[in-house]
Amino acid sequence: MDNIFPQLPEIISTTLWTILKIVAIVIPLMISVAYLTYFERRVIGFMQGRLGPNRVGYFGLLQPIADALKLMFKEIIHPTKSNNVLFLLAPILTIAPAFAAWAVIPFDAELVLSDINAGLLYVLAMTSIAVYGVIIAGWASNSKYAFLGSLRSAAQIVSYEIAMGFTLVGVLMCANSLNLGEIVIGQSGGISQWYIWPLFPLFIIYFISAVAETNRAPFDVAEGESEIVAGFHVEYSGMAFAVFFLAEYANMILVSMLAALMFLGGWLSPFDFFPDSIVWLLLKVAFLLFFFLWFRATFPRYRYDQIMRLGWKIFIPITIFWIIFVGFMMQTPYREMFH
Amino acid sequence: MDYSSAVFYFFSFILLFSAIKVITSRNPILSALFLVLSFFSAAGLWLLLQAEFLAIALVLVYVGAVMVLFLFVIMMIDINVEVMKKGFWNYFPAIGFVSIIMLTEIILVLNKPFFKTPALFKAPIKSNTDAIGEVLYSEYILPFEIAAIILLVAIIAAIALTLRGKKMHKGIDPAIQISVKKSDRLKMVEMGINKFKTKKRVKRN
């Protein structure tokens, strides 16, 4: 699409046009985050034989809006001796990368904000800096529980990022490109061409690492209620807490989106007789998001040393082995399976 | 002023500002965070030069990994700035000498015609990632492999330094934990509950 402000000077028109495009991505994202929380409460409710929120609006559909309004009007409390600037900066630093990563996500063959060559690396970089918000929140709140939570979370995110990065190496070996759009197009030709089949172990490891990266159950030791109350955001209230919450869910949608793009063929339809469209992408993301909720309702929380063992001693060796295996297979007559 | 030069001035201003704040800020955590900001703005400048791979690698490696561990360590140390600044003027002559030598070295290096070439601003023909990969694995394969081996040695050395032998080892073996049976933990004891009750009654009387 062309710039809609051709009469203004270039600096202003480009900035305005870019901001408009960003808003067009962020607002649907915020709405999906709000309804993901509703969906989560309903799904976990049904799994536990309850109804979940069903009082505000039809089937409780207005519940997320009521929650958002409540959080907006609550007071933000600063703990004594906390570092005020960093205390308020932490939620912003958590949510900014969660939104920034969406810049390179292709929703369709044409529908992408910024079609850069190194899209996959960019996403990896953005998800890796999300840890700053958590660390700073823990330090700036001047509280033991928050600090312990942030240390746990930082170590966990740094560990699982390595396994996650290695799985992406497998994907880019198959796709021969770092551009997310080209990765999806490399999987065209129906469900049998998706990278989930040749890279099945990497897909499983990517998804489990994604659960760990987003600090979701069963890897949510950063906010283990039974040990350290609410972890790194224990001192936050009102909208500052809500921003952490938003970031967590935005990250969940982001990693599901990435898994759908890299392993499940993105917007491509699974069978040739259906047209490719964004609907497929959204369906795949919703399917993967359901797993996040399912895990939360099913598994008990991991112990901290078990998390570290799983990340370092199991996932990293498996990913390295599978990368070497893929590289080896590409030199054999079976190379068509890996492209 | 066109768009890219506006972006250039924006990033350079933030880069210089944050670089100065790294050394002037009193709080070491803030210094580390300003260093992160300066890495970020440097990455932005590299993006303007269409070196997207280098820019993102800078963010990924330095911001996403190195500085996180830095912050991790700094946060856990109780740094007293007053104590650290105590001997500043005693050390000043030595510091001044070293910084003058470094400054002259940097000026000598940057004065070379190599750094004045306008070729830096020429866009690469294909993607930056492809170009770096090709050069790295053909022309510079030997230095690249040597660097990899040096890094490997550093990893092994770091592990060897922290490994204190089996004596200090308090880790647990998950295999043993999982294969635990009820009989290993529980011991059934015959309490003789009736005898206990009668004894109590006797005591009360």
Side-chain angles (χ1 to χ4, degrees):
Chain A
M1 274 185 285
D2 288 331
N3 203 324
I4 53 166
F5 311 104
Q7 68 278 19
L8 289 167
E10 198 200 343
I11 300 175
I12 301 167
S13 68
T14 314
T15 315
L16 269 181
W17 182 230
T18 315
I19 288 174
L20 265 184
K21 287 195 272 191
I22 292 169
V23 167
I25 291 180
V26 167
I27 286 180
L29 182 62
M30 297 280 248
I31 294 170
S32 7
V33 165
Y35 278 91
L36 181 58
T37 62
Y38 167 76
F39 189 55
E40 170 168 41
R41 291 166 75 181
R42 289 292 275 192
V43 165
I44 294 181
F46 283 129
M47 283 180 183
Q48 296 170 345
R50 300 181 282 117
L51 281 175
N54 64 346
R55 281 290 172 269
V56 193
Y58 286 105
F59 305 105
L61 273 172
L62 294 177
Q63 184 70 41
I65 294 162
D67 286 342
L69 280 176
K70 183 199 83 171
L71 285 167
M72 264 182 233
F73 288 113
K74 279 179 90 171
E75 184 190 356
I76 297 176
I77 299 162
H78 296 266
T80 39
K81 288 192 178 174
S82 67
N83 188 322
N84 266 352
V85 179
L86 290 183
F87 187 75
L88 289 181
L89 189 68
I92 301 169
L93 280 181
T94 315
I95 201 158
F99 283 166
W102 285 84
V104 295
I105 300 288
F107 298 97
D108 203 336
E110 275 94 39
L111 201 62
V112 49
L113 175 62
S114 160
D115 193 15
I116 63 172
N117 281 329
L120 195 59
L121 266 182
Y122 171 82
V123 168
L124 195 62
M126 282 302 132
T127 49
S128 75
I129 59 174
V131 65
Y132 277 97
V134 174
I135 294 186
I136 293 170
W139 185 79
S141 334
N142 195 28
S143 152
K144 279 176 217 157
Y145 293 129
F147 189 62
L148 282 174
S150 76
L151 287 185
R152 282 181 177 194
S153 170
Q156 178 186 330
I157 292 178
V158 169
S159 316
Y160 277 85
E161 214 173 78
I162 302 170
M164 215 167 171
F166 278 139
T167 58
L168 302 190
V169 171
V171 172
L172 75 93
M173 279 171 80
C174 283
N176 261 325
S177 171
L178 279 170
N179 181 304
L180 284 168
E182 281 174 32
I183 290 174
V184 173
I185 289 166
Q187 304 174 60
S188 48
I191 192 167
S192 60
Q193 296 299 311
W194 293 356
Y195 290 151
I196 182 173
W197 307 121
L199 303 177
F200 191 69
L202 296 187
F203 171 71
I204 299 293
I205 289 175
Y206 176 83
F207 199 67
I208 298 175
S209 307
V211 177
E213 282 269 299
T214 46
N215 278 329
R216 293 284 302 179
F219 298 97
D220 57 345
V221 286
E223 41 184 298
E225 291 90 349
S226 51
E227 302 138 29
I228 48 173
V229 199
F232 62 92
H233 56 55
V234 66
E235 302 291 344
Y236 284 84
S237 61
M239 207 52 208
F241 165 74
V243 169
F244 276 119
F245 207 68
L246 271 177
E248 182 182 325
Y249 283 81
N251 269 327
M252 270 166 69
I253 302 178
L254 176 72
V255 289
S256 308
M257 182 68 101
L258 283 175
L261 288 171
M262 293 187 306
F263 297 102
L264 301 178
W267 64 81
L268 301 172
S269 76
F271 306 107
D272 286 338
F273 45 88
F274 289 123
D276 302 336
S277 101
I278 187 173
V279 178
W280 290 113
L281 181 61
L282 299 181
L283 277 178
K284 287 164 190 171
V285 172
F287 176 71
L288 290 172
L289 279 173
F290 178 71
F291 275 87
F292 274 88
L293 314 182
W294 194 3
F295 289 161
R296 184 171 168 195
T298 313
F299 293 124
R301 184 175 295 135
Y302 262 104
R303 212 172 52 206
Y304 193 70
D305 59 307
Q306 290 171 332
I307 289 183
M308 285 298 158
R309 176 172 165 272
L310 186 69
W312 287 97
K313 292 191 180 169
I314 300 177
F315 283 176
I316 294 178
I318 293 178
T319 45
I320 292 176
F321 168 76
W322 204 259
I323 288 170
I324 294 170
F325 177 73
V326 169
F328 180 76
M329 288 303 277
M330 279 179 170
Q331 307 302 321
T332 63
Y334 302 104
R335 71 172 73 84
E336 281 311 308
M337 283 166 63
F338 289 87
H339 271 301
Chain B
M1 196 161 60
D2 61 334
Y3 190 72
S4 58
S5 44
V7 174
F8 172 78
Y9 284 116
F10 179 69
F11 277 121
S12 350
F13 174 74
I14 296 179
L15 175 58
L16 289 178
F17 171 77
S18 53
I20 290 167
K21 282 299 263 185
V22 172
I23 48 173
T24 55
S25 123
R26 288 180 156 265
N27 186 337
I29 302 267
L30 277 184
S31 294
L33 289 175
F34 273 116
L35 189 57
V36 169
L37 184 60
S38 54
F39 280 139
F40 237 96
S41 9
L45 287 180
W46 285 0
L47 271 183
L48 272 184
L49 292 173
Q50 301 190 334
E52 78 266 3
F53 181 79
L54 287 179
I56 295 171
L58 179 72
V59 173
L60 194 61
V61 175
Y62 281 91
V63 177
V66 175
M67 287 311 292
V68 172
L69 299 178
F70 245 84
L71 262 184
F72 211 90
V73 175
I74 296 174
M75 283 197 315
M76 286 195 278
I77 307 171
D78 189 22
I79 299 176
N80 193 339
V81 183
E82 293 304 312
V83 174
M84 278 177 63
K85 283 194 174 169
K86 235 176 189 173
F88 181 74
W89 290 108
N90 295 343
Y91 295 120
F92 188 73
I95 298 168
F97 181 65
V98 172
S99 34
I100 286 169
I101 289 181
M102 279 179 73
L103 189 66
T104 33
E105 277 177 355
I106 291 171
I107 289 171
L108 282 176
V109 168
L110 290 185
N111 244 346
K112 283 265 171 79
F114 176 72
F115 283 99
K116 287 182 177 166
T117 166
L120 265 179
F121 293 89
K122 214 189 281 173
I125 304 127
K126 45 189 168 179
S127 108
N128 184 249
T129 319
D130 284 358
I132 288 179
E134 262 187 42
V135 175
L136 212 56
Y137 285 101
S138 58
E139 212 172 314
Y140 298 105
I141 180 75
L142 203 62
F144 181 65
E145 295 290 335
I146 291 171
I149 287 177
I150 291 172
L151 281 175
L152 183 66
V153 170
I155 293 171
I156 295 170
I159 295 171
L161 277 176
T162 49
L163 208 66
R164 301 250 165 86
K166 278 277 172 191
K167 265 183 194 169
M168 299 284 288
H169 188 62
K170 281 186 180 171
I172 36 185
D173 189 351
I176 297 173
Q177 279 189 323
I178 291 166
S179 60
V180 147
K181 276 178 241 122
K182 196 171 87 179
S183 56
D184 297 336
R185 298 280 163 89
L186 275 176
K187 196 176 159 192
M188 299 302 285
V189 184
E190 197 65 49
M191 279 299 283
I193 196 142
N194 290 327
K195 218 164 78 186
F196 185 68
K197 267 182 185 168
T198 46
K199 256 189 184 175
K200 241 186 177 176
R201 235 171 248 158
V202 171
K203 256 190 181 175
R204 251 182 221 165
N205 292 335

